[in-house]
Amino acid sequence: MRHQSFGHSFGLSFDHSLGHSAPDRTRHAFEPGKLVAGLVILGVAAAYGMDAAGEWDVRPEIVLPALLGGLCVAALTSALTYALRRRSRRATPEEGVAESGG
């Protein structure tokens, strides 16, 4: 029976010389659209938190359209990132073929 450590099932590598696990950074690409969406949601949560604490008076007529607009910006960011990555993936093999073929 093969032994699998806890960290390997979550994509973590273990450096025995340092004694701690480090995340495998080659697994996923950076996605700025998710960052923008997370920041928008955190901002709305902070606004409602300040409202609950009595510091601000947050009206839903203002916050909900701001949330919708922020999520639309996040979607646009994701679409642009996807288009740029797809374009760069297409351009790379063609450049390699053109250089080796000439």
Side-chain angles (χ1 to χ4, degrees):
M1 185 170 146
R2 185 173 175 208
H3 174 71
Q4 185 177 11
S5 69
F6 176 76
H8 292 290
S9 63
F10 292 102
L12 299 175
S13 61
F14 190 81
D15 186 359
H16 294 284
S17 64
L18 297 176
H20 62 84
S21 61
D24 182 14
R25 301 211 186 271
T26 61
R27 191 167 173 189
H28 298 287
F30 174 65
E31 298 185 29
K34 289 183 179 181
L35 174 66
V36 171
L39 290 174
V40 166
I41 292 172
L42 280 174
V44 169
Y48 276 116
M50 295 296 283
D51 185 37
E55 298 292 324
W56 290 351
D57 183 29
V58 178
R59 296 187 345 217
E61 303 88 36
I62 303 294
V63 176
L64 293 179
L67 175 66
L68 181 62
L71 292 178
C72 287
V73 169
L76 180 64
T77 304
S78 290
L80 288 174
T81 302
Y82 174 76
L84 289 173
R85 286 185 180 163
R86 185 174 178 194
R87 181 177 170 195
S88 68
R89 256 188 263 134
R90 279 193 207 163
T92 304
E94 291 173 3
E95 290 172 3
V97 171
E99 290 173 6
S100 65

Coordinates of all heavy atoms in Angstrom, one line a residue:
M1 N 0.8 -1.2 0.0 CA 0.0 0.0 0.0 C 0.9 1.2 0.0 O 1.8 1.4 0.8 CB -0.9 0.0 1.2 CG -1.9 1.1 1.3 SD -3.0 0.8 2.6 CE -3.3 2.4 3.1
R2 N 0.6 2.2 -0.9 CA 1.4 3.4 -1.0 C 0.9 4.4 0.0 O -0.2 4.7 0.1 CB 1.3 3.9 -2.5 CG 2.1 5.1 -2.7 CD 2.1 5.4 -4.2 NE 2.9 6.6 -4.3 CZ 2.7 7.5 -5.3 NH1 1.7 7.3 -6.2 NH2 3.4 8.6 -5.4
H3 N 1.9 5.1 0.6 CA 1.6 6.1 1.6 C 1.6 7.5 0.9 O 2.5 7.8 0.2 CB 2.6 6.1 2.7 CG 2.5 7.2 3.7 ND1 1.4 7.2 4.6 CD2 3.2 8.3 3.9 CE1 1.5 8.3 5.3 NE2 2.6 9.0 4.9
Q4 N 0.5 8.2 1.1 CA 0.4 9.5 0.5 C 0.3 10.5 1.7 O -0.6 10.4 2.5 CB -0.8 9.7 -0.4 CG -0.8 11.0 -1.1 CD -2.0 11.1 -2.1 OE1 -2.8 10.2 -2.1 NE2 -2.0 12.1 -2.9
S5 N 1.1 11.5 1.7 CA 1.1 12.5 2.8 C -0.1 13.4 2.6 O -0.6 13.6 1.5 CB 2.4 13.3 2.9 OG 2.5 14.1 1.8
F6 N -0.4 14.1 3.7 CA -1.6 15.0 3.7 C -1.4 16.2 2.7 O -2.3 16.5 2.0 CB -1.7 15.6 5.1 CG -2.8 16.6 5.2 CD1 -4.2 16.2 5.2 CD2 -2.5 17.9 5.3 CE1 -5.2 17.1 5.4 CE2 -3.5 18.8 5.4 CZ -4.9 18.4 5.5
G7 N -0.2 16.7 2.6 CA 0.0 17.9 1.8 C -0.1 17.6 0.3 O -0.5 18.4 -0.5
H8 N 0.3 16.4 -0.1 CA 0.2 16.1 -1.5 C -1.2 16.0 -2.1 O -1.4 16.3 -3.3 CB 0.9 14.7 -1.8 CG 2.4 14.8 -1.6 ND1 3.2 15.6 -2.4 CD2 3.2 14.3 -0.6 CE1 4.5 15.5 -2.0 NE2 4.5 14.7 -0.9
S9 N -2.2 15.7 -1.3 CA -3.5 15.6 -1.7 C -4.1 17.0 -2.0 O -5.1 17.1 -2.7 CB -4.4 14.8 -0.7 OG -4.4 15.5 0.5
F10 N -3.5 18.0 -1.4 CA -3.9 19.4 -1.6 C -3.0 20.2 -2.5 O -3.0 21.4 -2.6 CB -4.1 20.1 -0.3 CG -5.2 19.6 0.5 CD1 -5.0 18.7 1.6 CD2 -6.5 19.9 0.2 CE1 -6.0 18.2 2.3 CE2 -7.6 19.4 0.9 CZ -7.3 18.5 2.0
G11 N -2.1 19.5 -3.2 CA -1.2 20.2 -4.1 C 0.0 21.0 -3.4 O 0.5 21.9 -3.9
L12 N 0.3 20.5 -2.2 CA 1.4 21.2 -1.5 C 2.6 20.3 -1.5 O 2.5 19.1 -1.5 CB 1.0 21.4 0.0 CG -0.3 22.2 0.3 CD1 -0.6 22.2 1.8 CD2 0.0 23.6 -0.2
S13 N 3.8 21.0 -1.6 CA 5.0 20.2 -1.6 C 5.6 20.4 -0.2 O 5.3 21.4 0.5 CB 6.0 20.7 -2.6 OG 6.3 22.1 -2.4
F14 N 6.4 19.5 0.3 CA 7.0 19.6 1.6 C 8.5 19.6 1.5 O 9.1 18.7 0.9 CB 6.5 18.4 2.4 CG 6.9 18.5 3.9 CD1 6.1 19.2 4.7 CD2 8.0 17.9 4.4 CE1 6.4 19.3 6.0 CE2 8.3 18.0 5.7 CZ 7.5 18.7 6.6
D15 N 9.1 20.7 2.0 CA 10.5 20.8 2.0 C 11.0 20.3 3.4 O 10.8 21.0 4.4 CB 10.9 22.3 1.8 CG 12.4 22.5 1.6 OD1 13.1 21.5 1.8 OD2 12.8 23.6 1.4
H16 N 11.6 19.1 3.4 CA 12.1 18.6 4.7 C 13.2 19.4 5.4 O 13.3 19.3 6.6 CB 12.5 17.1 4.5 CG 11.3 16.2 4.1 ND1 10.4 15.8 5.0 CD2 11.0 15.7 2.9 CE1 9.5 15.1 4.4 NE2 9.8 15.0 3.1
S17 N 14.0 20.1 4.6 CA 15.1 20.8 5.2 C 14.6 22.0 6.0 O 15.1 22.4 7.0 CB 16.1 21.3 4.1 OG 15.4 22.2 3.2
L18 N 13.4 22.6 5.5 CA 12.9 23.8 6.2 C 11.8 23.4 7.3 O 11.5 24.1 8.2 CB 12.3 24.8 5.2 CG 13.3 25.4 4.3 CD1 12.5 26.3 3.3 CD2 14.3 26.2 5.0
G19 N 11.2 22.2 7.1 CA 10.2 21.8 8.0 C 8.8 22.3 7.8 O 8.0 22.3 8.7
H20 N 8.5 23.0 6.7 CA 7.2 23.5 6.5 C 6.8 23.2 5.0 O 7.6 23.0 4.2 CB 7.1 24.9 6.8 CG 8.0 25.8 6.0 ND1 7.6 26.3 4.8 CD2 9.2 26.3 6.2 CE1 8.6 27.0 4.3 NE2 9.5 27.1 5.1
S21 N 5.5 23.3 4.8 CA 5.0 23.0 3.5 C 4.8 24.3 2.7 O 4.6 25.4 3.3 CB 3.6 22.3 3.5 OG 2.7 23.1 4.2
A22 N 5.0 24.3 1.4 CA 4.9 25.5 0.6 C 3.9 25.1 -0.6 O 3.9 24.0 -1.1 CB 6.2 25.8 -0.1
P23 N 3.0 26.1 -0.9 CA 2.1 25.8 -2.0 C 2.8 25.6 -3.3 O 3.8 26.2 -3.6 CB 1.2 27.0 -2.0 CG 2.0 28.1 -1.3 CD 2.9 27.4 -0.4
D24 N 2.2 24.8 -4.2 CA 2.7 24.6 -5.5 C 2.2 25.7 -6.4 O 1.1 25.8 -6.8 CB 2.2 23.2 -6.1 CG 2.7 22.9 -7.4 OD1 3.7 23.6 -7.9 OD2 2.2 22.0 -8.1
R25 N 3.1 26.6 -6.7 CA 2.7 27.9 -7.5 C 2.6 27.7 -9.0 O 2.3 28.6 -9.7 CB 3.7 29.0 -7.1 CG 3.8 29.3 -5.7 CD 4.1 30.7 -5.4 NE 4.2 30.9 -4.0 CZ 3.3 31.2 -3.2 NH1 2.0 31.3 -3.6 NH2 3.5 31.5 -1.9
T26 N 2.9 26.5 -9.5 CA 2.8 26.2 -10.9 C 1.5 25.6 -11.3 O 1.3 25.3 -12.5 CB 3.9 25.3 -11.3 OG1 3.8 24.0 -10.6 CG2 5.3 25.8 -11.0
R27 N 0.6 25.6 -10.4 CA -0.7 24.9 -10.6 C -1.7 25.7 -11.3 O -2.4 25.3 -12.2 CB -1.2 24.3 -9.3 CG -2.3 23.4 -9.5 CD -2.6 22.7 -8.2 NE -3.8 21.9 -8.4 CZ -4.4 21.2 -7.5 NH1 -3.9 21.3 -6.2 NH2 -5.5 20.5 -7.7
H28 N -1.9 27.0 -10.9 CA -3.0 27.8 -11.4 C -2.4 29.2 -11.9 O -1.5 29.7 -11.3 CB -4.0 28.1 -10.4 CG -4.7 26.9 -9.9 ND1 -5.6 26.2 -10.7 CD2 -4.7 26.2 -8.8 CE1 -6.1 25.1 -10.1 NE2 -5.5 25.1 -8.9
A29 N -3.0 29.7 -12.9 CA -2.6 31.0 -13.4 C -3.3 32.1 -12.6 O -4.4 31.9 -12.0 CB -3.0 31.2 -14.9
F30 N -2.7 33.3 -12.5 CA -3.4 34.4 -11.8 C -4.6 34.9 -12.6 O -4.6 35.0 -13.8 CB -2.3 35.6 -11.7 CG -2.9 36.8 -11.2 CD1 -3.4 36.9 -9.9 CD2 -3.0 38.0 -12.0 CE1 -3.9 38.1 -9.4 CE2 -3.5 39.1 -11.5 CZ -4.0 39.2 -10.2
E31 N -5.7 35.1 -11.9 CA -6.9 35.5 -12.5 C -7.4 36.8 -11.9 O -8.0 36.9 -10.9 CB -8.0 34.4 -12.4 CG -7.6 33.1 -13.1 CD -8.7 32.1 -13.0 OE1 -9.9 32.5 -12.9 OE2 -8.4 30.9 -13.0
P32 N -7.1 37.9 -12.6 CA -7.4 39.3 -12.1 C -8.9 39.5 -11.9 O -9.3 40.3 -11.1 CB -6.8 40.2 -13.0 CG -6.5 39.5 -14.3 CD -6.4 38.0 -13.9
G33 N -9.8 38.9 -12.7 CA -11.2 39.0 -12.6 C -11.7 38.6 -11.3 O -12.6 39.2 -10.7
K34 N -11.2 37.4 -10.8 CA -11.6 36.9 -9.5 C -11.1 37.9 -8.4 O -11.8 38.0 -7.4 CB -11.0 35.5 -9.3 CG -11.7 34.5 -10.1 CD -11.2 33.1 -9.8 CE -11.9 32.1 -10.7 NZ -11.5 30.7 -10.4
L35 N -9.9 38.5 -8.6 CA -9.5 39.4 -7.6 C -10.4 40.6 -7.5 O -10.8 41.1 -6.4 CB -8.0 39.9 -7.9 CG -7.4 41.0 -7.1 CD1 -7.2 40.5 -5.7 CD2 -6.1 41.5 -7.7
V36 N -10.8 41.2 -8.7 CA -11.7 42.3 -8.7 C -13.0 42.0 -8.0 O -13.6 42.7 -7.2 CB -11.9 42.8 -10.1 CG1 -13.0 43.9 -10.2 CG2 -10.6 43.4 -10.7
A37 N -13.6 40.8 -8.4 CA -14.9 40.4 -7.8 C -14.7 40.2 -6.3 O -15.6 40.7 -5.5 CB -15.3 39.1 -8.4
G38 N -13.7 39.7 -5.8 CA -13.5 39.5 -4.4 C -13.4 40.8 -3.7 O -13.9 41.0 -2.6
L39 N -12.6 41.8 -4.3 CA -12.5 43.1 -3.7 C -13.8 43.9 -3.6 O -14.1 44.5 -2.6 CB -11.4 43.9 -4.4 CG -10.0 43.5 -4.2 CD1 -9.1 44.3 -5.1 CD2 -9.6 43.5 -2.8
V40 N -14.6 43.7 -4.7 CA -16.0 44.3 -4.7 C -16.8 43.8 -3.6 O -17.5 44.5 -2.9 CB -16.6 44.2 -6.1 CG1 -18.1 44.5 -6.1 CG2 -15.9 45.0 -7.1
I41 N -16.9 42.5 -3.5 CA -17.7 41.8 -2.5 C -17.2 42.2 -1.1 O -18.0 42.5 -0.2 CB -17.8 40.3 -2.7 CG1 -18.5 40.0 -4.0 CG2 -18.4 39.6 -1.5 CD1 -18.5 38.6 -4.4
L42 N -15.9 42.2 -0.9 CA -15.4 42.7 0.4 C -15.7 44.1 0.8 O -16.0 44.5 1.9 CB -13.8 42.5 0.5 CG -13.3 41.1 0.7 CD1 -11.8 41.1 0.6 CD2 -13.7 40.6 2.1
G43 N -15.7 45.0 -0.3 CA -16.1 46.4 0.0 C -17.6 46.5 0.4 O -17.9 47.3 1.3
V44 N -18.4 45.7 -0.3 CA -19.9 45.8 0.1 C -20.1 45.2 1.5 O -20.8 45.8 2.3 CB -20.7 45.0 -1.0 CG1 -22.1 44.8 -0.5 CG2 -20.7 45.8 -2.3
A45 N -19.4 44.1 1.8 CA -19.5 43.6 3.1 C -19.0 44.5 4.2 O -19.6 44.6 5.3 CB -18.7 42.2 3.2
A46 N -17.9 45.3 3.9 CA -17.4 46.2 4.8 C -18.4 47.4 5.0 O -18.6 47.9 6.2 CB -16.0 46.8 4.3
A47 N -19.0 47.8 3.9 CA -20.0 48.9 4.1 C -21.2 48.4 4.9 O -21.6 49.2 5.8 CB -20.5 49.3 2.7
Y48 N -21.7 47.2 4.7 CA -22.8 46.7 5.6 C -22.3 46.5 7.0 O -23.1 46.6 7.9 CB -23.4 45.5 5.0 CG -24.4 45.8 3.9 CD1 -24.3 45.4 2.6 CD2 -25.6 46.5 4.3 CE1 -25.2 45.7 1.6 CE2 -26.5 46.8 3.3 CZ -26.4 46.4 2.0 OH -27.3 46.7 1.1
G49 N -21.0 46.1 7.2 CA -20.5 45.9 8.5 C -20.4 47.3 9.3 O -20.8 47.3 10.5
M50 N -20.0 48.3 8.6 CA -20.0 49.6 9.2 C -21.4 50.1 9.5 O -21.6 50.8 10.4 CB -19.3 50.6 8.2 CG -17.8 50.3 8.1 SD -16.9 50.5 9.6 CE -16.7 52.2 9.7
D51 N -22.4 49.7 8.6 CA -23.8 50.1 8.9 C -24.3 49.4 10.1 O -24.9 50.0 11.0 CB -24.6 49.7 7.7 CG -26.1 50.2 7.8 OD1 -26.3 51.2 8.4 OD2 -26.9 49.4 7.4
A52 N -23.9 48.1 10.3 CA -24.3 47.4 11.4 C -23.7 47.9 12.7 O -24.3 47.9 13.8 CB -24.0 45.9 11.3
A53 N -22.5 48.4 12.6 CA -21.8 49.0 13.8 C -22.3 50.4 14.1 O -21.9 51.0 15.1 CB -20.3 49.1 13.5
G54 N -23.1 51.0 13.2 CA -23.7 52.3 13.5 C -22.8 53.4 13.0 O -23.0 54.6 13.3
E55 N -21.7 53.1 12.3 CA -20.8 54.2 11.8 C -21.3 54.8 10.5 O -21.1 56.0 10.4 CB -19.4 53.6 11.6 CG -18.7 53.0 12.8 CD -18.4 54.1 13.8 OE1 -18.0 55.2 13.4 OE2 -18.5 53.8 15.0
W56 N -21.9 54.1 9.6 CA -22.4 54.6 8.4 C -23.8 54.3 8.3 O -24.4 53.5 8.9 CB -21.7 53.9 7.2 CG -20.2 54.2 7.0 CD1 -19.5 55.2 7.6 CD2 -19.4 53.6 6.1 NE1 -18.2 55.2 7.1 CE2 -18.1 54.2 6.2 CE3 -19.5 52.5 5.2 CZ2 -17.0 53.8 5.4 CZ3 -18.4 52.2 4.4 CH2 -17.2 52.8 4.5
D57 N -24.5 55.1 7.4 CA -25.9 54.8 7.0 C -25.9 54.4 5.6 O -25.8 55.2 4.7 CB -26.7 56.1 7.2 CG -28.2 55.8 6.9 OD1 -28.6 54.6 7.1 OD2 -28.9 56.7 6.5
V58 N -25.9 53.1 5.4 CA -25.8 52.5 4.0 C -27.2 52.2 3.5 O -28.0 51.5 4.1 CB -25.0 51.2 4.0 CG1 -24.9 50.5 2.7 CG2 -23.6 51.4 4.6
R59 N -27.5 52.8 2.4 CA -28.8 52.6 1.7 C -28.7 51.6 0.6 O -27.8 51.6 -0.2 CB -29.3 53.9 1.1 CG -29.6 55.0 2.2 CD -30.2 56.2 1.7 NE -30.2 56.3 0.2 CZ -30.1 57.5 -0.4 NH1 -29.9 58.6 0.3 NH2 -30.0 57.6 -1.7
P60 N -29.6 50.6 0.6 CA -29.5 49.5 -0.4 C -29.6 50.1 -1.9 O -29.1 49.5 -2.8 CB -30.7 48.6 -0.1 CG -31.0 48.9 1.3 CD -30.6 50.3 1.6
E61 N -30.3 51.3 -2.0 CA -30.4 51.8 -3.4 C -29.1 52.2 -3.9 O -28.9 52.4 -5.1 CB -31.3 53.1 -3.4 CG -32.7 52.8 -2.8 CD -32.8 53.0 -1.3 OE1 -32.1 53.9 -0.7 OE2 -33.5 52.2 -0.7
I62 N -28.1 52.5 -3.1 CA -26.8 52.9 -3.5 C -25.8 51.6 -3.6 O -25.1 51.5 -4.6 CB -26.2 53.9 -2.6 CG1 -27.0 55.1 -2.4 CG2 -24.7 54.3 -3.0 CD1 -27.2 55.9 -3.7
V63 N -25.9 50.8 -2.6 CA -24.9 49.7 -2.5 C -25.2 48.6 -3.6 O -24.2 48.1 -4.2 CB -24.9 49.1 -1.1 CG1 -23.9 47.9 -1.0 CG2 -24.4 50.2 -0.1
L64 N -26.4 48.2 -3.7 CA -26.7 47.1 -4.7 C -26.4 47.4 -6.1 O -25.8 46.6 -6.8 CB -28.2 46.7 -4.5 CG -28.5 46.0 -3.2 CD1 -30.0 45.7 -3.1 CD2 -27.6 44.8 -2.9
P65 N -26.7 48.6 -6.6 CA -26.2 49.0 -8.0 C -24.6 49.0 -8.0 O -24.0 48.7 -9.1 CB -26.8 50.3 -8.3 CG -28.0 50.4 -7.4 CD -27.6 49.6 -6.2
A66 N -24.0 49.5 -7.0 CA -22.5 49.5 -6.9 C -22.0 48.1 -7.0 O -21.0 47.8 -7.7 CB -22.0 50.2 -5.7
L67 N -22.6 47.2 -6.3 CA -22.2 45.7 -6.3 C -22.4 45.2 -7.7 O -21.5 44.5 -8.3 CB -23.1 44.9 -5.4 CG -22.9 43.4 -5.4 CD1 -21.5 43.1 -4.9 CD2 -23.9 42.7 -4.5
L68 N -23.5 45.5 -8.4 CA -23.8 45.0 -9.7 C -22.8 45.6 -10.7 O -22.2 44.9 -11.5 CB -25.2 45.4 -10.2 CG -25.6 44.9 -11.6 CD1 -25.6 43.4 -11.7 CD2 -27.0 45.4 -11.9
G69 N -22.5 46.9 -10.6 CA -21.5 47.5 -11.5 C -20.1 46.9 -11.2 O -19.3 46.7 -12.2
G70 N -19.7 46.7 -10.0 CA -18.4 46.1 -9.7 C -18.3 44.7 -10.2 O -17.2 44.3 -10.7
L71 N -19.3 43.9 -10.1 CA -19.3 42.6 -10.7 C -19.2 42.6 -12.2 O -18.6 41.7 -12.8 CB -20.5 41.7 -10.2 CG -20.4 41.4 -8.7 CD1 -21.6 40.6 -8.2 CD2 -19.1 40.7 -8.3
C72 N -19.9 43.6 -12.8 CA -19.7 43.7 -14.3 C -18.3 44.1 -14.7 O -17.8 43.6 -15.7 CB -20.7 44.8 -14.8 SG -22.4 44.2 -14.8
V73 N -17.7 44.9 -13.9 CA -16.2 45.2 -14.1 C -15.4 44.0 -14.0 O -14.5 43.7 -14.8 CB -15.8 46.4 -13.2 CG1 -14.2 46.5 -13.2 CG2 -16.4 47.7 -13.5
A74 N -15.7 43.2 -13.0 CA -15.0 41.9 -12.8 C -15.2 41.0 -14.0 O -14.2 40.3 -14.4 CB -15.4 41.2 -11.5
A75 N -16.4 40.9 -14.5 CA -16.6 40.1 -15.7 C -15.9 40.6 -16.9 O -15.3 39.8 -17.7 CB -18.2 40.0 -15.9
L76 N -15.9 41.9 -17.1 CA -15.1 42.5 -18.2 C -13.6 42.2 -18.0 O -13.0 41.8 -19.0 CB -15.4 44.0 -18.2 CG -14.6 44.7 -19.3 CD1 -15.1 44.3 -20.7 CD2 -14.9 46.2 -19.2
T77 N -13.1 42.3 -16.8 CA -11.7 42.0 -16.6 C -11.4 40.5 -16.9 O -10.4 40.2 -17.6 CB -11.3 42.3 -15.1 OG1 -11.7 43.6 -14.8 CG2 -9.9 42.0 -14.8
S78 N -12.3 39.6 -16.5 CA -12.1 38.2 -16.8 C -12.1 37.9 -18.4 O -11.3 37.2 -18.9 CB -13.1 37.3 -16.2 OG -12.9 37.3 -14.8
A79 N -13.1 38.6 -19.0 CA -13.2 38.4 -20.5 C -11.9 38.9 -21.2 O -11.4 38.3 -22.1 CB -14.4 39.1 -21.0
L80 N -11.4 40.1 -20.8 CA -10.2 40.6 -21.4 C -9.0 39.8 -21.1 O -8.2 39.5 -22.0 CB -10.0 42.1 -20.9 CG -10.9 43.1 -21.4 CD1 -10.7 44.5 -20.7 CD2 -10.8 43.3 -22.9
T81 N -8.9 39.3 -19.9 CA -7.8 38.4 -19.6 C -7.8 37.1 -20.4 O -6.8 36.7 -21.0 CB -7.8 38.0 -18.1 OG1 -7.8 39.2 -17.3 CG2 -6.7 37.1 -17.7
Y82 N -9.0 36.5 -20.6 CA -9.2 35.3 -21.4 C -8.8 35.6 -22.8 O -8.1 34.8 -23.5 CB -10.6 34.8 -21.3 CG -10.9 33.7 -22.2 CD1 -10.5 32.4 -21.9 CD2 -11.6 33.9 -23.4 CE1 -10.7 31.4 -22.8 CE2 -11.9 32.8 -24.3 CZ -11.4 31.6 -24.0 OH -11.7 30.5 -24.8
A83 N -9.3 36.7 -23.4 CA -9.0 37.1 -24.8 C -7.5 37.3 -25.0 O -6.9 36.8 -26.0 CB -9.7 38.3 -25.2
L84 N -6.8 38.0 -24.0 CA -5.4 38.2 -24.2 C -4.6 36.9 -24.1 O -3.6 36.7 -24.8 CB -4.9 39.2 -23.1 CG -5.4 40.7 -23.4 CD1 -5.0 41.5 -22.2 CD2 -4.8 41.2 -24.7
R85 N -5.0 36.1 -23.2 CA -4.2 34.8 -23.0 C -4.5 33.9 -24.2 O -3.6 33.2 -24.7 CB -4.7 34.1 -21.8 CG -4.1 34.7 -20.5 CD -4.4 34.0 -19.3 NE -3.9 34.6 -18.1 CZ -4.2 34.4 -16.9 NH1 -5.1 33.5 -16.6 NH2 -3.7 35.1 -15.9
R86 N -5.7 33.9 -24.8 CA -6.0 33.1 -25.9 C -5.2 33.6 -27.2 O -4.7 32.9 -27.9 CB -7.5 33.1 -26.2 CG -7.9 32.2 -27.3 CD -9.4 32.2 -27.4 NE -9.8 31.3 -28.6 CZ -10.9 31.3 -29.1 NH1 -11.9 32.1 -28.6 NH2 -11.2 30.5 -30.1
R87 N -5.1 34.9 -27.3 CA -4.4 35.6 -28.4 C -2.9 35.3 -28.3 O -2.3 35.0 -29.3 CB -4.7 37.1 -28.4 CG -4.0 37.8 -29.5 CD -4.4 39.3 -29.4 NE -3.6 40.0 -30.3 CZ -3.4 41.3 -30.3 NH1 -4.1 42.0 -29.4 NH2 -2.7 42.0 -31.1
S88 N -2.4 35.3 -27.1 CA -0.9 35.1 -26.9 C -0.6 33.6 -27.2 O 0.4 33.3 -27.7 CB -0.4 35.5 -25.6 OG -1.0 34.7 -24.6
R89 N -1.5 32.7 -26.8 CA -1.3 31.3 -27.1 C -1.3 31.0 -28.6 O -0.6 30.1 -29.1 CB -2.4 30.5 -26.4 CG -1.9 29.8 -25.2 CD -3.0 28.8 -24.6 NE -3.7 29.5 -23.6 CZ -5.0 29.5 -23.4 NH1 -5.8 28.9 -24.2 NH2 -5.6 30.2 -22.5
R90 N -2.2 31.7 -29.3 CA -2.2 31.5 -30.8 C -1.0 32.1 -31.4 O -0.5 31.5 -32.4 CB -3.5 32.2 -31.4 CG -4.7 31.4 -31.2 CD -5.8 32.0 -32.1 NE -7.1 31.8 -31.6 CZ -8.2 32.4 -31.9 NH1 -8.1 33.4 -32.8 NH2 -9.3 32.1 -31.4
A91 N -0.5 33.2 -31.0 CA 0.6 33.9 -31.6 C 1.9 33.1 -31.4 O 2.8 33.1 -32.3 CB 0.7 35.3 -31.1
T92 N 2.1 32.5 -30.3 CA 3.3 31.8 -30.0 C 3.7 30.7 -30.9 O 4.8 30.7 -31.5 CB 3.3 31.3 -28.5 OG1 3.0 32.4 -27.6 CG2 4.6 30.7 -28.1
P93 N 2.8 29.7 -31.2 CA 3.2 28.6 -32.1 C 3.4 29.1 -33.6 O 4.3 28.7 -34.2 CB 2.0 27.7 -32.1 CG 1.3 28.0 -30.9 CD 1.5 29.4 -30.6
E94 N 2.7 30.2 -34.0 CA 2.9 30.7 -35.4 C 4.2 31.3 -35.5 O 4.9 31.2 -36.5 CB 1.8 31.7 -35.7 CG 0.4 31.0 -35.9 CD -0.7 32.1 -36.0 OE1 -0.4 33.3 -36.1 OE2 -1.8 31.7 -36.1
E95 N 4.7 32.0 -34.5 CA 6.0 32.7 -34.5 C 7.1 31.6 -34.6 O 8.1 31.7 -35.3 CB 6.2 33.6 -33.3 CG 5.3 34.8 -33.3 CD 5.4 35.6 -32.0 OE1 6.2 35.2 -31.1 OE2 4.7 36.6 -31.9
G96 N 6.9 30.5 -33.8 CA 7.9 29.4 -33.8 C 8.0 28.8 -35.2 O 9.0 28.4 -35.7
V97 N 6.8 28.6 -35.9 CA 6.8 27.9 -37.2 C 7.4 28.9 -38.2 O 8.2 28.4 -39.1 CB 5.3 27.6 -37.6 CG1 5.3 27.1 -39.0 CG2 4.8 26.5 -36.6
A98 N 7.1 30.2 -38.1 CA 7.7 31.1 -39.1 C 9.2 31.2 -39.0 O 9.9 31.3 -40.0 CB 7.0 32.5 -38.9
E99 N 9.7 31.2 -37.8 CA 11.2 31.3 -37.6 C 11.9 30.0 -38.0 O 12.9 30.1 -38.7 CB 11.5 31.6 -36.1 CG 11.0 33.0 -35.7 CD 11.2 33.1 -34.2 OE1 11.8 32.2 -33.5 OE2 10.8 34.2 -33.7
S100 N 11.3 28.9 -37.8 CA 12.0 27.6 -38.1 C 11.8 27.3 -39.6 O 12.6 26.6 -40.2 CB 11.5 26.5 -37.3 OG 10.1 26.3 -37.6
G101 N 10.7 27.8 -40.2 CA 10.5 27.5 -41.6 C 11.3 28.4 -42.6 O 11.4 28.1 -43.8
G102 N 11.9 29.5 -42.2 CA 12.5 30.5 -43.1 C 13.9 30.2 -43.1 O 14.8 30.0 -43.9

